[in-house]
Amino acid sequence: MTATPIAVITGASSGIGAATARTLAAAGYRVVLTARRKDRIEALAAEITEAGHEATAYALDVTDRTAVDEFATAFRSLAVLVNNAGGALGADPVASADPADWRQMYETNVIGTLNLTQALLPALTASGDGTIVILSSTAALSSYEGGGGYVAAKHGEHVLAETLRLEIVGTPVRVIEVAPGMVKTDEFATTRFRGDTEKAAKVYAGVDAPLTAEDVADTIGWAVTRPSHVNIDLLVVRPRAQASNTKVHRTL
């Protein structure tokens, strides 16, 4: 009897991470949900289990390497790692941005991804058919005013994915990068603006149908479930109303 393939999703407490957990569970994976907010992932794991799928919650800070290494000992074989944990802080210009914000974004987006990837790569390789997904952003590909720290962090993730793919070619592990544009979730913009819901709402004002977390999760699910020999190196997904990071059609 073939064992159920396991997928680890970081940042699974809300938004794209939670939606991806639901998507992969429905696709037949046993999902392991990680995030710092234990209550959130436990509730999601219960929801997924009640729907007839397999899910486990594990509280984890991806920037804590000791904790990540301990987490990784649970896996001899792993089918999928979705590096989703990350986020943005502030929208200040380079000249006045808080270096602490830049440091936190780099630690979460880049070092967190590095930590999980390094710790779980042996198990992904041992599976004989592993997949690493790195959720970056269109910010990984082009800059915009007020986004310097986030853009720098996401460029770091993009280069990590590119370099890793070069270095492990010939092994049974794929490296997929998914780069979403404007996605409206419950927390991303609100967190960026430190709880200022008015500022957060302006990001999406007048935009007809920005992407949802489910849209991105569907994209991740599609990429992960391609035949083993097919690698989706980089998939950029934006709403129709967005032509670039700085060109968005708004009806106001």
Side-chain angles (χ1 to χ4, degrees):
M1 185 174 178
T2 305
T4 303
I6 301 170
V8 170
I9 301 105
T10 70
S13 58
S14 65
I16 293 170
T20 300
R22 294 185 182 100
T23 297
L24 294 184
Y29 290 89
R30 178 162 74 84
V31 293
V32 179
L33 319 176
T34 75
R36 289 175 298 177
R37 294 179 291 185
K38 185 179 180 182
D39 59 330
R40 291 282 194 98
I41 54 174
E42 286 182 340
L44 179 57
E47 173 201 317
I48 291 171
T49 301
E50 287 169 13
H53 309 304
E54 298 181 66
T56 305
Y58 190 102
L60 182 68
D61 179 349
V62 297
T63 68
D64 182 341
R65 185 55 187 256
T66 300
V68 168
D69 286 341
E70 182 180 347
F71 168 70
T73 62
F75 305 96
R76 290 188 177 182
S77 178
L78 180 65
V80 177
L81 166 62
V82 180
N83 284 300
N84 167 72
L89 284 176
D92 302 305
V94 172
S96 58
D98 186 344
D101 287 345
W102 282 52
R103 187 172 293 108
Q104 185 172 337
M105 284 186 281
Y106 192 86
E107 285 285 338
T108 305
N109 290 279
V110 184
I111 302 302
T113 295
L114 178 66
N115 283 341
L116 266 294
T117 300
Q118 287 183 336
L120 292 173
L121 186 56
L124 287 155
T125 305
S127 75
D129 188 15
T131 300
I132 297 169
V133 177
I134 293 178
L135 192 77
S136 63
S137 164
T138 53
L141 308 173
S142 63
S143 302
Y144 59 93
E145 293 170 288
Y150 183 61
V151 167
K154 287 301 183 182
H155 270 67
E157 272 193 292
H158 171 66
V159 171
L160 189 160
E162 269 193 337
T163 306
L164 178 64
R165 194 179 299 115
L166 293 171
E167 291 172 345
I168 66 171
V169 66
T171 72
V173 179
R174 302 182 294 184
V175 180
I176 295 170
E177 180 182 357
V178 176
M182 181 180 283
V183 185
K184 186 176 183 180
T185 63
D186 292 336
E187 296 186 337
F188 180 83
T190 303
T191 299
R192 182 171 207 164
F193 295 112
R194 307 178 203 285
D196 189 328
T197 54
E198 187 175 341
K199 274 188 178 180
K202 286 180 180 179
V203 172
Y204 312 103
V207 178
D208 180 27
L211 296 178
T212 65
E214 289 71 25
D215 292 328
V216 180
D218 182 59
T219 301
I220 293 170
W222 175 82
V224 166
T225 55
R226 293 311 84 207
S228 298
H229 70 287
V230 177
N231 195 99
I232 308 300
D233 284 13
L234 171 63
L235 197 161
V236 176
V237 53
R238 290 189 175 100
R240 186 172 61 187
Q242 184 183 32
S244 75
N245 288 346
T246 56
K247 182 71 173 180
V248 179
H249 177 72
R250 300 177 189 269
T251 304
L252 298 171

